[in-house]
Amino acid sequence: MRDAFVIFTHDLKRKVRNEAGQGWVRAPVRPSLTLSILPGILLSATGNRGIIHRSFNHVNSCMLDEARHRPRASHRLLKTNRIPPAETTDRTAHHGGQTQVYPAASFIQSKPRARMEFHYAKEMNGTVPTVTKLSKCIESKHSDSCKEEKDLKEAADSTKLFCIEKAYSTILSELGENTEREGLLRTPLRAAKAMQFFTKGYKETTQAILNDAIFNENHDEMVIVKDIDLFSLCEHHLVPFFGKAHIAYLPNKKVVGLSKLARIVEIFSRRLQVQERLTKQIATAISEALEPAGVAVVIEAVHMCMVMRGVQKMNAKTVTSVMLGTFQNDHRTREEFLSLTLGE
Amino acid sequence: MEHSKQTQYSSNEKKDTGDGGSVLNGHFDGMVKRPAGGTVRASAPQPLGAECGSHRSAASVMESWREERTRSVEDNEMSLPSLAAAYTTILRGLGEDPQRQGLLKTPWRAATAMQFFTKGYQEKIIDVLNDAIFDEDHDEMVIVKDIDMFSMCEHHLVPIFGRVHIGYLPNKRVLGLSKLARIVEIYSRRLQVQERLTKQIAVAITEALQPTGVGVVIEATHMCMVMRGVQKMNSKTVTSTMLGVFREDPKTRDEFLTLIRS
């Protein structure tokens, strides 16, 4: 299977290089004989039959589909002239992006914690680097060169959707359902789109939504936005968890539009998440964007993976919190926040 | 009822031996009936049409309580690798990295979780009910309410959860109370539509006990409506099925509805 990959990407490379002067061109699919034979040879060589054979075929074709349309990551990064946003690029860029895009945080005590965050950077749930290209496209809406890339991106998106759809058809039939019955006819497509909606946070960046809504105000009292409904997906079982987020910050000459706090919650929650990481990501994003005197985030959520299956405890809630800056150092500030949000 | 149970047993055995030979679970070979909403095929499989599907679904709802398992524990183990492979494809398609530490075993966990959410396909009503039907000279309403219910939306594969309230007027035969909750479990742990779920529960109780009347009310929250799409957080869907005297006599119905509300 690895050889098949290499052959394919080599084909892609050759085509793109030939027409490099004309910009990005979608490399036509070459009906390669070796490709069709190789998987068969590999599978027969390993003696896989039956279910495993079926599943690998399925996975193979989808992975090859992706390889066909996958944009060349390195080229894309070179083409952009912006520093990729911190939370969305690959791990190596994360460190650099953190210190270059935003000046050093104003509170020293939180730095060790922030560094601890970077230490676990390889655990950041982030995705393919095409995000940077997309955000550039969003900003330069009227540029023509962007249109081709958008088309390419849409093609890649629809291929991905098709792959997810096929996967869901397999799931339905393996679960023992009749995929031809009326209620299930278009379920794979609907489920694939739903899943894409539930993970749309991967494509969004805090920079894109926050840039316009930071205002200079001479206000240094606590600002709390509470009871923000939150829906996310457990990354271990792919089952929803939902609850409320309460956010507070002590502004330091800069305040942010209130709905932007809720939008930050949306960006990070619409991903495959672990509640602890989600809380930390929200707090870090706010502290980087606003450089406030302190940030506090509390999330209380119900995990369907615990309610619907496994230990099946209906009324259990999970509460996580992150306190940065003054909220961490001064217990009275913290108490004021907790009594205002959770006290009632 | 005894007679029909006997015949059910013998036909069960026939079907069991038949099932042992068939390879594909869930693709019926003429004998096995599907959960309501699917088609009931004769020995010669017929093409699906919307019109014959709907008329058959009505018939199969009424008979669904006698249906066979479409899945077994062995089938579960055999389908796990392909389910896990499908979930790996989904993870990759969403743009995540299936090799990162938090996602390494996620395909297997998600596959097992999904099998648990559809374990109703492995269970038979007859197994659950056989021992717990008692002859009691009781003809007042029996209500079991606030039964937590968790199901999966068959259109989006996203959870539905809520509460079920069941009431029935016995006709010389009563059912063990937890068996009502078990009936709810069997039918809810499937890919469902809330209307069909309500009807299936009501019909199962009717067929098993032949009571004077049955009422089932389900109020549920649909994550497909809360987490996506129209995104209305506080909306609930309420469906009900009233059979027998619950349907005909408004006073009985009122009593039932008042008691479940209080």
Side-chain angles (χ1 to χ4, degrees):
Chain A
M1 269 161 279
R2 196 169 289 278
D3 301 287
F5 254 76
V6 167
I7 289 173
F8 233 171
T9 49
H10 276 181
D11 279 348
L12 200 63
K13 258 192 230 171
R14 211 177 307 134
K15 277 289 173 192
V16 167
R17 231 186 293 131
N18 284 340
E19 296 153 5
Q22 299 157 18
W24 290 102
V25 180
R26 189 179 314 178
V29 175
R30 285 229 252 157
S32 165
L33 198 59
T34 43
L35 260 183
S36 48
I37 292 182
L38 248 183
I41 293 177
L42 284 171
L43 284 168
S44 59
T46 53
N48 283 333
R49 294 273 186 270
I51 286 177
I52 302 177
H53 172 87
R54 189 169 72 219
S55 68
F56 277 7
N57 264 344
H58 156 84
V59 170
N60 253 352
S61 58
C62 261
M63 275 159 47
L64 292 177
D65 285 341
E66 279 180 79
R68 200 177 296 142
H69 292 286
R70 189 183 301 141
R72 302 280 313 290
S74 53
H75 275 223
R76 289 195 174 270
L77 279 180
L78 284 176
K79 272 191 159 225
T80 62
N81 54 2
R82 2 171 330 136
I83 300 161
E87 72 274 353
T88 51
T89 52
D90 58 42
R91 310 121 196 205
T92 49
H94 184 81
H95 292 265
Q98 205 69 34
T99 49
Q100 283 170 32
V101 176
Y102 300 105
S106 52
F107 34 92
I108 305 198
Q109 286 83 354
S110 73
K111 262 203 178 153
R113 282 187 74 153
R115 251 185 254 124
M116 196 167 66
E117 156 90 322
F118 301 154
H119 172 69
Y120 294 119
K122 62 178 181 287
E123 266 311 290
M124 297 295 282
N125 45 356
T127 66
V128 290
T130 50
V131 170
T132 57
K133 205 59 191 160
L134 174 65
S135 35
K136 184 170 194 285
C137 273
I138 290 174
E139 289 172 10
S140 57
K141 286 185 201 118
H142 305 291
S143 122
D144 279 337
S145 65
C146 211
K147 201 168 183 305
E148 259 177 35
E149 283 135 11
K150 257 200 273 189
D151 288 341
L152 227 109
K153 200 195 159 301
E154 273 167 21
D157 275 347
S158 62
T159 316
K160 282 189 183 155
L161 188 65
F162 180 64
C163 279
I164 305 178
E165 202 184 323
K166 276 208 298 189
Y168 271 115
S169 301
T170 313
I171 290 174
L172 284 180
S173 53
E174 292 293 335
L175 288 175
E177 260 285 6
N178 172 19
T179 44
E180 304 297 328
R181 72 175 169 88
E182 190 208 356
L184 291 187
L185 270 180
R186 296 202 313 163
T187 289
L189 178 63
R190 284 186 290 239
K193 284 195 182 161
M195 198 50 117
Q196 283 191 326
F197 183 85
F198 295 148
T199 51
K200 68 178 167 72
Y202 288 125
K203 299 202 174 75
E204 299 163 355
T205 71
T206 42
Q207 251 184 314
I209 57 156
L210 280 189
N211 268 344
D212 301 336
I214 300 183
F215 309 105
N216 294 325
E217 284 283 334
N218 198 2
H219 184 79
D220 57 357
E221 297 288 333
M222 200 185 295
V223 177
I224 304 178
V225 179
K226 61 178 192 167
D227 292 332
I228 303 172
D229 287 307
L230 175 156
F231 300 94
S232 189
L233 276 184
C234 160
E235 74 176 13
H236 299 140
H237 300 94
L238 300 184
V239 171
F241 70 91
F242 51 88
K244 291 186 194 273
H246 313 284
I247 301 179
Y249 70 103
L250 278 167
N252 186 14
K253 304 285 180 276
K254 284 200 236 174
V255 298
V256 71
L258 298 170
S259 77
K260 302 301 176 280
L261 291 171
R263 284 189 192 269
I264 293 178
V265 170
E266 269 287 296
I267 286 180
F268 290 111
S269 62
R270 297 289 185 183
R271 298 180 179 192
L272 302 185
Q273 276 289 7
V274 163
Q275 193 177 329
E276 295 87 336
R277 186 197 311 140
L278 170 61
T279 325
K280 187 160 254 168
Q281 281 177 322
I282 296 172
T284 318
I286 298 172
S287 69
E288 282 166 9
L290 297 181
E291 294 144 17
V295 179
V297 178
V298 171
I299 296 184
E300 36 183 5
V302 172
H303 290 245
M304 288 280 105
C305 52
M306 214 165 102
V307 169
M308 276 179 82
R309 60 164 290 287
V311 72
Q312 296 193 57
K313 295 295 180 189
M314 310 291 156
N315 303 317
K317 281 190 179 184
T318 308
V319 181
T320 53
S321 64
V322 167
M323 309 284 172
L324 299 177
T326 319
F327 286 94
Q328 190 181 6
N329 304 330
D330 187 355
H331 69 95
R332 286 167 305 175
T333 318
R334 196 159 61 234
E335 271 166 28
E336 181 187 341
F337 162 63
L338 291 175
S339 68
L340 283 172
T341 41
L342 304 174
E344 290 135 6
Chain B
M1 186 57 194
E2 305 293 325
H3 173 71
S4 65
K5 264 203 235 170
Q6 279 301 325
T7 53
Q8 187 55 34
Y9 254 127
S10 50
S11 57
N12 271 358
E13 280 156 20
K14 257 191 284 179
K15 281 173 195 173
D16 281 339
T17 50
D19 274 348
S22 70
V23 172
L24 299 171
N25 58 326
H27 292 274
F28 34 92
D29 304 319
M31 297 287 273
V32 179
K33 291 190 183 140
R34 298 236 120 239
T39 55
V40 176
R41 284 192 193 170
S43 50
Q46 297 171 19
L48 264 177
E51 67 285 356
C52 57
S54 56
H55 123 79
R56 272 181 184 151
S57 70
S60 55
V61 167
M62 296 307 287
E63 295 178 337
S64 63
W65 78 285
R66 259 185 265 127
E67 68 194 1
E68 288 302 310
R69 283 188 218 106
T70 57
R71 201 168 92 185
S72 67
V73 177
E74 296 80 30
D75 291 327
N76 277 356
E77 284 168 16
M78 288 200 351
S79 12
L80 214 48
S82 52
L83 277 174
Y87 272 111
T88 313
T89 313
I90 292 175
L91 286 179
R92 238 183 243 119
L94 294 175
E96 262 282 10
D97 169 23
Q99 300 307 316
R100 74 172 169 89
Q101 191 223 18
L103 293 186
L104 266 181
K105 292 209 255 171
T106 290
W108 297 90
R109 282 186 291 241
T112 321
M114 196 50 115
Q115 286 185 331
F116 182 85
F117 295 149
T118 51
K119 70 177 166 68
Y121 293 131
Q122 291 165 225
E123 298 160 355
K124 289 196 296 191
I125 297 285
I126 211 84
D127 289 338
V128 155
L129 290 189
N130 256 349
D131 301 336
I133 300 182
F134 308 107
D135 294 318
E136 283 285 332
D137 193 14
H138 184 80
D139 57 357
E140 297 289 332
M141 199 183 293
V142 177
I143 298 178
V144 180
K145 61 178 191 166
D146 292 333
I147 304 171
D148 287 309
M149 178 274 297
F150 301 95
S151 188
M152 292 293 275
C153 162
E154 74 176 14
H155 299 140
H156 300 94
L157 300 184
V158 170
I160 302 171
F161 54 88
R163 297 197 148 147
V164 183
H165 313 283
I166 301 177
Y168 72 103
L169 270 171
N171 185 13
K172 301 286 181 277
R173 296 161 75 211
V174 296
L175 185 61
L177 298 171
S178 77
K179 303 301 175 277
L180 290 169
R182 286 191 191 270
I183 294 177
V184 170
E185 267 287 297
I186 288 181
Y187 284 122
S188 62
R189 296 288 186 183
R190 298 180 177 189
L191 303 185
Q192 277 289 6
V193 163
Q194 191 176 330
E195 296 87 338
R196 185 196 312 140
L197 171 62
T198 325
K199 193 169 221 110
Q200 279 178 318
I201 297 171
V203 163
I205 300 172
T206 310
E207 298 273 339
L209 294 180
Q210 267 104 30
T212 324
V214 175
V216 177
V217 172
I218 299 185
E219 38 185 10
T221 309
H222 292 241
M223 287 277 102
C224 52
M225 213 165 104
V226 168
M227 276 180 82
R228 61 165 288 288
V230 74
Q231 296 193 58
K232 296 295 180 189
M233 311 292 157
N234 303 317
S235 65
K236 284 191 176 184
T237 308
V238 182
T239 53
S240 64
T241 300
M242 306 288 173
L243 299 177
V245 75
F246 280 76
R247 177 179 280 203
E248 284 138 27
D249 185 3
K251 288 207 207 90
T252 315
R253 193 160 62 235
D254 281 343
E255 182 188 342
F256 171 58
L257 294 175
T258 314
L259 283 171
I260 60 175
R261 233 175 265 136
S262 62

